Amino acid sequence: MQIRKERKDSIEHRRIILQKAQLLFTEYGVDSVTMHQIAKSAGIGQGTLYRRYAHKGELCQDLMKESCDHLCDEILQYLDNNQQQPAKERLTTLLEIFLNFIESHSHWLVSIQAPTCEGRQTLMYQSPLYSFMHNTISQLFNEVEPKVNGAVADGAFRADTLIASINPELYLFMRHERGYSKEEIKNNLIQLYLDPLFL
């Protein structure tokens, strides 16, 4: 009985922490909020907070979990329903879905990668979302098996470079500083990464 109570308390702590952190991040910005402020706002000790989240990056990642799960489900459903479509069309649609996700969640995604976010490289490159996107894009590139100078191209490398090109921070820079629309970014990425494979 005691075990169940602790489990219930743990779930409630997580809910309160995420709720208070989201309010603070929205009002003051992720960089301006400290772990001390989050713990105080949630009515818990800093030790309790740090046992669950080592730093703000992990907190941001947890806040994004549900949205990331929805993104992965949307992509899997699309790919499952369109197995007979040409690889270029599936890659193009996958790219469009991912750009829509970045457009909608750029604030949180940039916060996870911010220089002030501890463990940012681990959070990004070892995250379930990055792994999912990389594996999915790699498989589609490998399905095409394009020849480059007589050798089969490396789908994993292509996937990493494509994802790097739509890094949320760079995406926002291109949108707001360079003045590109989401559609223009998508079309340029297709021209750069996909069109040469399907000539």
Side-chain angles (χ1 to χ4, degrees):
M1 203 67 172
Q2 184 65 27
I3 294 173
R4 285 183 186 169
K5 183 178 186 300
E6 288 174 357
R7 175 71 180 155
K8 186 176 179 182
D9 287 350
S10 179
I11 291 169
E12 182 63 10
H13 279 154
R14 177 180 177 275
R15 186 191 67 77
I16 293 170
I17 290 167
L18 292 176
Q19 180 186 54
K20 297 299 183 180
Q22 185 161 14
L23 289 171
L24 288 168
F25 290 161
T26 300
E27 186 171 354
Y28 301 108
V30 176
D31 289 345
S32 301
V33 176
T34 66
M35 292 291 273
H36 174 74
Q37 288 173 300
I38 295 167
K40 186 176 178 182
S41 178
I44 60 171
Q46 277 189 252
T48 302
L49 178 61
Y50 278 108
R51 275 193 294 277
R52 183 172 288 279
Y53 301 104
H55 47 75
K56 286 189 291 183
E58 287 187 355
L59 234 165
C60 289
Q61 194 172 52
D62 206 4
L63 282 166
M64 285 291 302
K65 183 181 183 312
E66 188 175 336
S67 297
C68 291
D69 289 345
H70 285 312
L71 171 68
C72 295
D73 289 343
E74 181 182 357
I75 289 171
L76 286 173
Q77 184 174 1
Y78 166 76
L79 293 174
D80 190 51
N81 293 336
N82 293 275
Q83 295 176 33
Q84 305 307 315
Q85 295 296 327
K88 182 180 181 182
E89 184 173 323
R90 284 177 283 147
L91 279 162
T92 299
T93 302
L94 191 149
L95 182 60
E96 188 166 350
I97 292 170
F98 196 42
L99 287 174
N100 288 338
F101 178 78
I102 293 173
E103 181 87 14
S104 302
H105 300 88
S106 55
H107 174 72
W108 296 112
L109 294 167
V110 168
S111 297
I112 291 171
Q113 296 174 240
T116 55
C117 174
E118 309 94 321
R120 63 189 181 277
Q121 288 186 334
T122 299
L123 283 169
M124 179 180 175
Y125 296 111
Q126 295 178 10
S127 70
L129 177 60
Y130 190 92
S131 296
F132 171 81
M133 291 302 298
H134 182 267
N135 290 338
T136 305
I137 293 170
S138 293
Q139 287 173 11
L140 287 169
F141 275 137
N142 286 333
E143 182 182 317
V144 180
E145 294 188 348
K147 298 284 183 178
V148 179
N149 295 328
V152 176
D154 186 342
F157 182 84
R158 286 181 183 276
D160 278 324
T161 56
L162 174 57
I163 296 169
S165 296
I166 46 177
N167 174 296
E169 192 172 26
L170 176 60
Y171 177 81
L172 287 180
F173 176 77
M174 289 191 292
R175 290 279 283 115
H176 302 299
E177 299 297 325
R178 297 290 189 213
Y180 289 105
S181 68
K182 182 180 67 176
E183 193 67 18
E184 287 172 327
I185 292 172
K186 183 189 80 171
N187 290 337
N188 276 298
L189 289 168
I190 290 169
Q191 190 174 22
L192 183 63
Y193 288 98
L194 304 187
D195 285 350
L197 306 182
F198 298 92
L199 294 175

